[in-house]
């Protein structure tokens, strides 16, 4: 499997998906599954909650953080500060695991 590089423009530069992971929905659970060389780095899979799935799909499409926030505001009945914090937290976790980076 080839590694996907998807640009995500942000205030700190362009982010890219760095690790080989695939998105799957199994028995109603959304998850990122390490594949290829990435399987040895992680012991397990990453499960995604409702908003996490939405954010990941937008990341794969190369949407900017602001575009993601705007789309989620249209989809969810939540305050902008809450949506923005969720997006920042999710992207921060992906960065901390090295799944996305600059």
């Amino acid at each position: 499997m080839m590694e996907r590089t998807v640009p995500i423009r942000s205030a700190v530069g362009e982010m890219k998906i760095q690790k080989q992971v695939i998105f799957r929905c199994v028995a109603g659970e959304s998850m990122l599954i390490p594949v290829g060389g990435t399987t040895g780095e992680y012991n397990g899979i990453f499960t995604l909650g409702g908003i996490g799935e939405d954010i990941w799909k937008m990341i794969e499409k190369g949407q900017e953080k602001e575009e993601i926030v705007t789309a989620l505001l249209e989809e969810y009945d939540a305050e902008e500060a809450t949506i923005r914090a969720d997006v920042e937290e999710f992207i921060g976790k992906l960065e901390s695991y090295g799944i996305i980076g600059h």
Side-chain angles (χ1 to χ4, degrees):
M1 168 176 261
M2 292 180 54
E3 188 169 339
R4 284 185 65 168
T5 301
V6 180
I8 306 166
R9 293 165 298 282
S10 70
V12 292
E14 211 171 79
M15 292 185 291
K16 297 177 184 170
I17 296 175
Q18 302 287 334
K19 302 292 180 178
Q20 291 179 317
V21 294
I22 56 172
F23 171 82
R24 291 286 185 262
C25 188
V26 178
E29 290 283 326
S30 299
M31 57 193 78
L32 294 177
I33 304 167
V35 295
T38 304
T39 56
E41 294 179 46
Y42 303 106
N43 187 20
I45 59 174
F46 302 95
T47 57
L48 307 177
I51 198 168
E53 177 182 344
D54 294 337
I55 295 169
W56 178 258
K57 287 178 178 180
M58 287 184 256
I59 288 172
E60 284 190 309
K61 291 178 184 175
Q63 289 183 275
E64 297 179 26
K65 283 184 187 180
E66 287 304 313
E67 292 174 317
I68 293 170
V69 170
T70 300
L72 293 174
L73 282 169
E74 293 173 7
E75 180 72 23
Y76 292 93
D77 183 24
E79 297 290 324
E80 181 176 348
T82 302
I83 295 287
R84 191 170 299 282
D86 287 348
V87 170
E88 292 293 335
E89 179 183 3
F90 186 80
I91 289 174
K93 284 182 181 179
L94 293 176
E95 288 174 328
S96 73
Y97 287 120
I99 294 172
I100 62 173
H102 302 281

